[in-house]
C-alpha cells in the first residue's frame, strides 16, 4: 500500500477499508463511565476510537487507580499483544471518559493486516509514540502533591491533545464534568470545583457548556506549575 494513500486518513478508516474483506468491523458505543475492558480480560480485539475520549488506567492491589492516558479520536488501543508478540490479558482498565463510539476488530486479523502493510505499521507506531509521550506527561502530572498543580498540568495536557484554537484561547474540545476531572487526577469533585473557580477568578480559564477554554496556556503553566 502506498503510504501517500494512508497518511491523511485516520487509522480507523484505513483499517475499516483494508479489513472489510477479511473481517466485519464492529461498531460499539459506550456511555460515559462505562468500562470497555477490565485488567485481566482476554486481549481478543483491537479498538479504534471513532468519537469521544477513552481513559486508560492502571489498578493497583490497594485499590488505587491511576490514569495513564486519555485517548482522542482516531487513536488505537488494546494492542499490547501486537507489541509483545505474545498473547496476553488486558493490562489496563479502559473506560469511556465521554460518550464514545468504537470500531473493533479481531486481533489476529489486525496482526495479518499489519504484516501485509508495513506502511500501516509505521502509522500505528506514530500513534503509539504519541500515547507514550502523553503517559509520561500524565505520570509527571500525578507526581505533583499539590492538587492545584495537578489540575493545571492536566488542563495543559488536554490543551495539547484536545485543544482547538479560538479567539479567546485554546478550547478543550471535550465536555468535562468536575467529577470526571477529579477521577482523572486523583482528587475530589469538591476540590476540583474550588480550584476551577479560582482559575476562573484569575481569568486563566472560562467554561461554557462544560467545555473549558484556557486563555493563555503559557501564562497558566508559568504561574501555576
Amino acid at each position: 500500500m502506498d503510504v501517500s494513500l494512508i497518511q491523511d486518513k485516520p487509522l480507523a478508516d484505513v483499517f475499516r477499508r483494508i479489513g472489510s474483506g477479511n473481517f466485519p468491523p464492529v461498531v460499539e458505543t459506550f456511555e460515559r463511565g462505562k468500562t470497555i475492558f477490565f485488567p485481566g480480560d482476554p486481549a481478543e480485539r483491537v479498538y479504534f476510537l471513532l468519537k469521544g475520549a477513552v481513559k486508560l488506567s492502571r489498578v493497583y492491589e490497594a485499590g488505587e487507580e491511576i490514569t495513564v492516558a486519555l485517548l482522542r479520536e482516531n487513536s488505537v488501543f488494546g494492542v499490547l499483544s501486537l507489541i509483545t508478540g505474545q498473547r496476553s490479558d488486558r493490562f489496563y482498565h479502559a473506560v469511556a471518559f465521554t460518550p464514545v463510539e468504537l470500531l473493533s476488530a479481531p486481533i489476529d486479523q489486525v496482526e495479518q493486516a499489519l504484516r501485509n502493510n508495513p506502511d500501516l505499521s509505521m502509522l500505528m507506531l506514530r500513534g503509539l509514540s504519541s500515547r507514550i509521550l502523553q503517559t509520561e506527561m500524565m505520570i509527571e502530572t500525578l507526581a505533583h502533591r499539590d492538587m492545584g498543580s495537578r489540575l493545571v498540568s492536566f488542563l495543559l495536557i488536554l490543551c495539547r491533545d484536545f485543544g482547538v484554537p479560538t479567539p479567546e484561547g485554546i478550547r478543550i474540545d471535550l465536555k468535562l464534568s468536575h467529577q470526571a476531572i477529579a477521577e482523572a487526577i486523583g482528587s475530589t469533585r469538591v476540590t476540583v470545583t474550588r480550584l476551577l473557580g479560582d482559575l476562573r477568578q484569575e481569568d486563566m480559564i472560562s467554561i461554557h457548556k462544560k467545555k473549558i477554554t484556557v486563555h493563555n496556556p503559557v501564562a497558566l503553566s508559568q504561574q501555576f506549575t
Side-chain angles (χ1 to χ4, degrees):
M1 178 179 292
D2 186 346
V3 69
S4 63
L5 297 178
I6 65 174
Q7 279 181 331
D8 298 327
K9 291 182 176 292
L11 188 59
D13 289 345
V14 174
F15 265 88
R16 182 190 285 115
R17 180 159 55 88
I18 68 170
S20 58
N22 299 321
F23 55 87
V26 176
V27 176
E28 302 174 76
T29 59
F30 292 84
E31 298 178 1
R32 192 197 91 76
K34 295 297 184 181
T35 291
I36 300 165
F37 55 75
F38 288 99
D41 283 354
E44 298 174 343
R45 303 185 74 83
V46 175
Y47 294 88
F48 309 96
L49 181 54
L50 298 174
K51 295 181 182 178
V54 168
K55 181 179 73 170
L56 296 183
S57 58
R58 286 281 289 128
V59 182
Y60 294 90
E61 291 183 2
E64 185 179 14
E65 188 163 350
I66 302 297
T67 301
V68 297
L70 273 181
L71 308 181
R72 55 185 168 183
E73 293 178 2
N74 298 317
S75 295
V76 58
F77 64 104
V79 297
L80 185 60
S81 292
L82 292 176
I83 297 171
T84 62
Q86 300 176 345
R87 285 291 175 264
S88 60
D89 294 334
R90 298 298 186 191
F91 188 69
Y92 296 115
H93 184 200
V95 175
F97 192 70
T98 66
V100 302
E101 184 176 321
L102 303 173
L103 177 70
S104 70
I107 195 166
D108 291 338
Q109 298 290 352
V110 174
E111 189 172 16
Q112 185 62 47
L114 292 172
R115 287 200 195 101
N116 294 338
N117 298 277
D119 293 331
L120 185 60
S121 300
M122 184 57 66
L123 189 63
M124 179 180 285
L125 181 60
R126 292 194 190 107
L128 293 176
S129 296
S130 178
R131 237 274 299 288
I132 291 169
L133 176 60
Q134 193 201 67
T135 296
E136 291 177 347
M137 295 171 68
M138 284 299 301
I139 292 171
E140 183 178 348
T141 292
L142 295 173
H144 292 296
R145 295 190 178 184
D146 174 71
M147 281 299 169
S149 296
R150 280 194 189 188
L151 175 62
V152 166
S153 295
F154 184 61
L155 292 178
L156 293 174
I157 291 174
L158 295 180
C159 284
R160 169 187 174 269
D161 290 333
F162 298 90
V164 176
T166 71
E168 292 76 32
I170 304 298
R171 186 182 73 241
I172 299 170
D173 197 23
L174 287 174
K175 289 186 177 181
L176 296 164
S177 69
H178 294 188
Q179 182 62 36
I181 296 173
E183 291 171 1
I185 65 172
S187 185
T188 65
R189 183 186 59 79
V190 172
T191 298
V192 167
T193 299
R194 175 177 58 81
L195 293 172
L196 288 174
D198 292 342
L199 293 177
R200 293 176 77 172
Q201 286 187 345
E202 293 288 336
D203 200 31
M204 289 289 171
I205 67 169
S206 56
I207 304 175
H208 180 64
K209 294 183 178 179
K210 292 189 176 182
K211 291 190 175 182
I212 299 174
T213 297
V214 177
H215 297 154
N216 188 329
V218 174
L220 183 64
S221 65
Q222 290 175 344
Q223 183 167 352
F224 290 93
T225 61

